[in-house]
């Protein structure tokens, strides 16, 4: 009888949250496989992000910070959590929402409606910039011209510059994006597969662009995508987080997707694999004999560039001349409209450009 009671008590104890030992667990945490309750999940999820912010000195009191907002899960959770931590821990930040309208009918137009609702829900000012206004092209226009192959190269290059331009308009000190641990692990793997030493040396940095117009920070660097999905699903019992969950209609066969599936398979076998890949990326040492690109400014638009023309200007010039693929597989000899003979890039360089796409971020 006593043995039976002892066994019953042991089973009862095993059904309690492994962190607080008070409440029943409601989930197995993807990152650690711990059986924890809802309240403890909120606490550890938010506290880990806070510790990342503090330990890496991401912000200073009084700074103006733009949140790259798409209306998707990553950026929506980032906006909510950063707003909460700013209030709770008195970071002293002025927060803004910054969205880019790529001009994708049935995708971005719908997600921007979500961002507009987030503006009201969080009480954060919103700035929206469009490809049409900045470049004279929408992604719908570009895809009509070039098809689905390589379209993500255009979108990724244009969006990166558009975010910097939007941040400049808002006069912010920092730009934060919703890149999560899965995204960064994917990028490490992709850069290894491409042999892209320049990007491999900086892709795990939690803050990038410190030598550019506006530094970018990734508070979700160590946050698993699965946990970002779980967070609003549990929180919605108390406060509905409004986000858009449809994938971009132009990137079903994007190269990054194959790396994503591979990492998901690794995660199923060993959840720690995502953090281990990031750690490996952090520990890479680039040989001192490796020549890295020297940063300068684009002679055409003034944007940061390691070439005479930035990649956005090269791509845009190709579009305007009716030769969109020129900016993907060809190198430019002349600038400012004085075109010299174009030389063919090595196949590896061309493949690298062709494989670049918008990434797993949801904006």
């Amino acid at each position: 009888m006593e043995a039976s009671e002892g066994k019953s008590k042991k089973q009862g104890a095993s059904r309690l949250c492994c962190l607080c030992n008070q409440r029943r667990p409601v989930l197995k945490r993807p990152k650690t496989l711990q059986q924890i309750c809802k309240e403890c999940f909120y606490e550890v999820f938010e506290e880990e992000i806070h510790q990342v912010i503090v330990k890496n000195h991401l912000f200073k009191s009084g700074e103006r910070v733009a949140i790259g907002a798409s209306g998707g899960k990553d950026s929506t959770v980032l906006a909510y959590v950063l707003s909460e931590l700013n209030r709770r821990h008195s970071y002293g930040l002025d927060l803004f929402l910054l969205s880019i309208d790529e001009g994708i009918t049935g995708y971005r137009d719908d997600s921007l409606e979500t961002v507009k609702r987030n503006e009201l829900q969080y009480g954060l000012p919103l700035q929206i910039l469009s490809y049409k206004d900045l470049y004279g092209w929408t992604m719908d226009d570009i895809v009509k011209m070039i098809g689905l192959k390589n379209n993500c190269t255009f979108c990724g290059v244009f969006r990166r510059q558009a975010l910097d331009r939007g941040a400049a308009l808002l006069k912010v000190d920092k730009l934060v994006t919703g890149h999560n641990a899965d995204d960064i692990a994917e990028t490490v793997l992709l850069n290894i597969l491409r042999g892209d030493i320049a990007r491999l040396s900086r892709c795990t940095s939690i803050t990038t662009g410190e030598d550019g117009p506006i530094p970018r920070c990734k508070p979700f660097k160590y946050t698993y995508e699965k946990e970002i999905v779980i967070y609003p699903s549990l929180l919605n019992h108390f406060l509905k987080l409004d986000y858009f969950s449809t994938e971009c209609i132009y990137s079903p066969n994007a190269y990054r997707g194959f790396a994503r599936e591979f990492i998901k398979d690794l995660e199923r076998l060993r959840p720690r694999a995502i953090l281990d890949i990031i750690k490996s990326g952090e520990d890479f040492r680039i040989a001192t004999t490796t020549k890295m690109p020297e940063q300068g400014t684009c002679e055409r638009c003034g944007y940061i560039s390691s070439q005479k023309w930035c990649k956005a200007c090269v791509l845009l010039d190709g579009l305007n001349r009716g030769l969109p693929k020129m900016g993907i597989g060809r190198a430019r000899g002349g600038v400012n409209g004085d075109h010299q003979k174009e030389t063919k890039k090595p196949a590896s360089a061309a493949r690298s450009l062709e494989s670049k796409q918008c990434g797993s971020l949801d904006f």
Side-chain angles (χ1 to χ4, degrees):
M1 183 70 175
E2 290 180 0
S4 177
E5 289 179 356
K7 186 177 180 180
S8 177
K9 288 180 180 178
K10 187 176 181 180
Q11 289 176 341
S14 67
R15 295 193 190 100
L16 294 177
C17 169
C18 69
L19 297 182
C20 68
N21 273 324
Q22 295 178 1
R23 294 174 289 269
R24 291 177 64 86
V26 297
L27 76 151
K28 180 185 287 187
R29 192 180 179 197
K31 192 175 190 177
T32 61
L33 300 184
Q34 294 172 305
Q35 297 277 358
I36 62 176
C37 66
K38 180 166 51 183
E39 290 78 5
C40 284
F41 175 73
Y42 294 150
E43 185 176 338
V44 296
F45 181 89
E46 295 170 358
E47 180 60 21
E48 285 182 2
I49 295 167
H50 169 62
Q51 290 303 321
V52 167
I53 290 172
V54 171
K55 290 179 180 178
N56 291 278
H57 308 287
L58 295 190
F59 310 118
K60 295 177 182 178
S61 180
E63 284 187 327
R64 293 165 61 89
V65 177
I67 302 169
S70 68
K73 65 180 185 312
D74 294 330
S75 63
T76 299
V77 173
L78 176 62
Y80 175 77
V81 171
L82 193 55
S83 296
E84 284 296 298
L85 294 179
N86 186 41
R87 176 188 57 79
R88 186 183 308 161
H89 297 287
S90 302
Y91 292 163
L93 306 177
D94 288 328
L95 300 176
F96 303 84
L97 298 177
L98 173 59
S99 291
I100 304 303
D101 180 4
E102 301 94 340
I104 304 175
T105 304
Y107 170 66
R108 184 57 72 212
D109 49 356
D110 290 340
S111 67
L112 284 176
E113 293 303 314
T114 303
V115 177
K116 292 173 184 176
R117 292 194 294 271
N118 292 158
E119 176 188 15
L120 299 176
Q121 291 166 341
Y122 305 151
L124 300 178
L126 170 64
Q127 174 76 54
I128 300 176
L129 288 183
S130 72
Y131 282 8
K132 185 67 174 178
D133 291 338
L134 291 174
Y135 309 115
W137 291 79
T138 66
M139 279 308 299
D140 287 343
D141 296 333
I142 293 172
V143 170
K144 284 179 183 177
M145 175 177 280
I146 70 169
L148 290 174
K149 187 178 181 181
N150 298 323
N151 69 85
C152 288
T153 296
F154 286 83
C155 192
V157 171
F158 287 166
R159 187 176 59 252
R160 179 172 184 83
Q161 189 178 107
L163 282 169
D164 281 337
R165 291 190 180 190
L169 282 175
L170 289 170
K171 298 180 180 179
V172 298
D173 302 291
K174 301 278 176 61
L175 172 64
V176 296
T177 61
H179 288 92
N180 57 51
D182 300 55
D183 298 326
I184 295 172
E186 290 162 13
T187 304
V188 172
L189 179 60
L190 285 171
N191 288 332
I192 291 174
L193 294 175
R194 294 180 189 141
D196 195 334
I197 303 301
R199 288 185 176 84
L200 185 58
S201 67
R202 63 175 184 265
C203 67
T204 59
S205 300
I206 195 166
T207 300
T208 57
E210 292 174 294
D211 56 345
I214 297 170
R216 296 180 178 218
C217 305
K218 299 183 281 285
F220 282 175
K221 178 182 175 180
Y222 301 108
T223 305
Y224 277 31
E225 182 179 39
K226 286 182 178 178
E227 298 198 352
I228 293 173
V229 173
I230 291 171
Y231 182 83
S233 68
L234 293 178
L235 193 67
N236 277 347
H237 290 291
F238 304 100
L239 176 66
K240 183 174 178 59
L241 287 191
D242 187 0
Y243 66 91
F244 185 77
S245 58
T246 301
E247 292 293 328
C248 177
I249 60 176
Y250 290 147
S251 61
N253 299 312
Y255 187 49
R256 180 179 285 267
F258 298 103
R260 182 180 301 126
E261 289 303 313
F262 176 68
I263 287 176
K264 291 301 180 188
D265 288 341
L266 289 178
E267 184 187 11
R268 279 189 282 271
L269 295 172
R270 186 169 180 269
R272 178 78 192 180
I274 292 175
L275 292 179
D276 287 343
I277 293 173
I278 295 174
K279 183 65 166 60
S280 297
E282 291 173 336
D283 291 343
F284 282 137
R285 295 292 180 268
I286 308 302
T288 54
T289 55
T290 301
K291 187 176 180 180
M292 304 301 285
E294 294 182 6
Q295 294 288 6
T297 56
C298 173
E299 293 183 2
R300 192 179 191 189
C301 72
Y303 189 70
I304 187 169
S305 175
S306 58
Q307 304 294 328
K308 290 185 177 181
W309 279 20
C310 70
K311 190 61 187 174
C313 283
V314 172
L315 292 173
L316 189 58
D317 184 61
L319 286 171
N320 291 333
R321 295 174 61 195
L323 301 169
K325 293 184 180 180
M326 180 186 69
I328 297 176
R330 300 278 181 174
R332 171 172 303 286
V335 295
N336 295 332
D338 298 319
H339 306 294
Q340 298 175 2
K341 183 178 179 181
E342 293 171 356
T343 57
K344 190 172 183 179
K345 281 193 174 184
S348 60
R351 283 197 299 271
S352 174
L353 285 170
E354 289 172 0
S355 65
K356 281 192 291 184
Q357 54 91 42
C358 59
S360 54
L361 243 200
D362 58 24
F363 72 91

